[in-house]
Amino acid sequence: MKKSFILGIELLLLGGLTSLASNLRCAKTVFSQPNVRFMQKVRISDGQGVVTVKGLPSGLKWNAKRQIVEGKVKKEGVYSYTISYNHNGKIEDAQVKLTVSSQLQLPVPFMGWLSWNSVEGDISESIVKQVADMFHANGLYDAGWNAVMMDDLWQARTGRAVDGKPLPDPKRFPNGLRSVADYVHSKGMKFGLYTDAADKTCAGAFGSYGYEKIDADQYAEWNVDVVKCDYCNAPSEQDTAIVRYGRMGDAFKQAKRPMTLYICEWGVREPWQWGAEAGGSCWRISADVRDGWTCEPGGAGVMQCIDIMKNISEYSGVNRFNDSDMLCVGLHGTGHSSNDLCFGHPGMTQDEYRTQFALWCMWSSPMALSFDPRTNTLTDDDLAILKNRRLIALNQDRMGQQADLISESDQMVVFAKDLENGDVAISVTNLSDKTSEATFDFAKIPALDARKSYKCQDLWTGEHLNPVKGGFTVSVRSHTTMVYRLSK
């Protein structure tokens, strides 16, 4: 297809787009599994006015005190309802589309491995198989890690085939990608690869711009499950990104095999507001995460991820997850791209790696490990972190809620997360350089009742503490995150 024709289509579509600016901060396209507890948060930008909800399907109700839609919808189907915001007689409506299905592309965040941080352009059939085998050998698969995904530079250096179809590098993938996918699937895992919404990928391989349908059909033939779609070498405007990702999403819908579109435009164009409408099931919220507690401008460490994620929890949910990028647990400064823009030397302490893992679980962020299977830098302590099923259960909770920011200071950041069975997870992260005490005040956590007593479990140790009422105080080491699960 000629690019001048494609550009003309883009301009026509752009003319029909409306502004995403709104005083109502909420997702417009939401998802749930049938008869699973559903929750949608509604926030108001100016902090004033009254919110009402009309036309809710049977099983859902509006909780005005907490400003959430909640409940269970038993029957599969597509439903719609209206959220209205009234401020001094000026009314703003948001039409919400709710899809209830047992066949969602990403009902819970993926947990797997992504090649770029350590492997970069060396990605190969051999490396993919090594990762799949390692996940089984070291117990990661049994703990829930079940996806192996290739990043950039799997493509043939010579470009596409004569008919436009994408080609893998023949030396590194001598048996083709269908064979690689079949091997991963034989291990009970999902297989993913990478493309870009432009002519060229970030590393200079061919992208999918203008070849969306050809690529989607070929990925389906290869039995691909997840496709990460980057945004290097593409126009910077938000509207253009919406159109380009939308075209990829439409191509996926028409393919013979269901595939997850993983949008990766680094959060610059606020994909949490439009990613689901474009066909995505998750989207990056930041620049590439580096192997450091904090980073120079242009990179993202744990601190930068906290700063972004604390403000966008209302846009996350089942099949629409905010992604904080690859986990650096197990890298220990041995990566490649992950070492850039780190203050001082790359690598984190084990407490800092624990914090990264704990927060990704609290946020329901997709989780991708990035170790090099050829050198295998994973220690026993790394594996203990990554196989903590109590924390993984938070990430994989079927209600898919991202933890809300409760309070923050120069020293402590507190989050709280609603869980499907009615439990509440709470965390506190010590940002300071010394051990300090932190207090959980239940009166400040909307999901809790300060008058009631709760069972309390430390999710790092598994220890069941004495019942707590009203709140409690804990000692937190520097750059450590403590996580507790409260049950009625």
Side-chain angles (χ1 to χ4, degrees), residues 258-306:
M259 293 178 288
T260 297
L261 175 58
Y262 169 11
I263 293 173
C264 180
E265 59 72 76
W266 327 298
V268 177
R269 287 151 285 268
E270 300 185 336
W272 44 85
Q273 293 197 46
W274 51 265
E277 288 78 8
S281 294
C282 60
W283 34 81
R284 279 271 300 280
I285 57 90
S286 72
D288 291 358
V289 164
R290 266 60 177 194
D291 192 4
W293 180 253
T294 188
C295 283
E296 299 173 23
V302 174
M303 290 286 288
Q304 284 76 23
C305 290
I306 291 174

Side-chain angles (χ1 to χ4, degrees), residues 60-61 72 93 122 151 167 174 191 225-226 292 303 325 329 339 461 463 470 488:
L60 297 186
K61 64 180 181 179
K72 294 180 181 179
D93 289 336
D122 291 336
D151 211 286
L167 293 172
F191 175 65
D225 301 294
V226 183
M303 290 286 288
D325 198 18
V329 181
N339 290 353
T461 65
E463 179 186 3
K488 294 180 181 178

Side-chain angles (χ1 to χ4, degrees), residues 350-480:
Q350 287 300 93
D351 277 342
E352 290 169 343
Y353 285 129
R354 289 186 184 92
T355 282
Q356 188 185 50
F357 181 68
L359 290 177
W360 267 233
C361 289
M362 286 290 290
W363 293 334
S364 289
S365 171
M367 297 196 294
L369 304 177
S370 52
F371 60 86
D372 189 335
R374 298 167 297 184
T375 57
N376 187 16
T377 55
L378 290 173
T379 67
D380 288 343
D381 192 48
D382 296 332
L383 291 171
I385 294 171
L386 298 173
K387 292 192 290 185
N388 185 315
R389 299 194 186 201
R390 294 176 295 273
L391 285 168
I392 289 172
L394 304 185
N395 181 271
Q396 298 289 289
D397 188 81
R398 294 194 301 170
M399 197 162 67
Q401 290 299 295
Q402 179 177 320
D404 294 313
L405 176 69
I406 300 301
S407 64
E408 63 175 331
S409 67
D410 292 339
Q411 288 192 323
M412 301 289 177
V413 178
V414 176
F415 287 97
K417 176 185 180 75
D418 287 274
L419 301 171
E420 180 194 357
N421 71 345
D423 288 358
V424 178
I426 56 177
S427 71
V428 57
T429 303
N430 184 351
L431 306 180
S432 74
D433 294 329
K434 62 181 181 179
T435 298
S436 301
E437 287 192 340
T439 298
F440 293 106
D441 182 354
F442 293 178
K444 296 181 179 179
I445 301 176
L448 298 177
D449 188 335
R451 301 166 298 177
K452 294 184 178 180
S453 180
Y454 294 89
K455 299 176 183 178
C456 181
Q457 184 182 27
D458 182 330
L459 296 191
W460 280 118
T461 65
E463 179 186 3
H464 290 275
L465 309 180
N466 292 328
V468 291
K469 182 179 181 180
F472 62 100
T473 299
V474 295
S475 178
V476 191
R477 295 193 307 273
S478 171
H479 295 187
T480 293

Side-chain angles (χ1 to χ4, degrees), residues 1 18 46 62 71 76 78 106 112 141 163 185 198 212 222 232 240 289 318 326 342 353 361 395 409 428 447 488:
M1 186 182 291
T18 57
D46 60 14
W62 170 241
E76 298 196 28
V78 179
L106 203 63
Y141 175 79
D163 59 3
H185 291 156
E212 291 84 0
W222 286 336
C232 287
T240 303
V289 164
V318 173
M326 290 172 276
C342 295
Y353 285 129
C361 289
N395 181 271
S409 67
V428 57
K488 294 180 181 178

Side-chain angles (χ1 to χ4, degrees), residues 33 48 80 83 85 125 199 217 257 261 279 290 316 373 386:
Q33 297 181 77
Q48 304 175 20
S80 63
I83 300 175
Y85 170 65
E125 174 180 333
D199 293 326
D217 289 344
R257 175 184 177 82
L261 175 58
R290 266 60 177 194
S316 186
L386 298 173

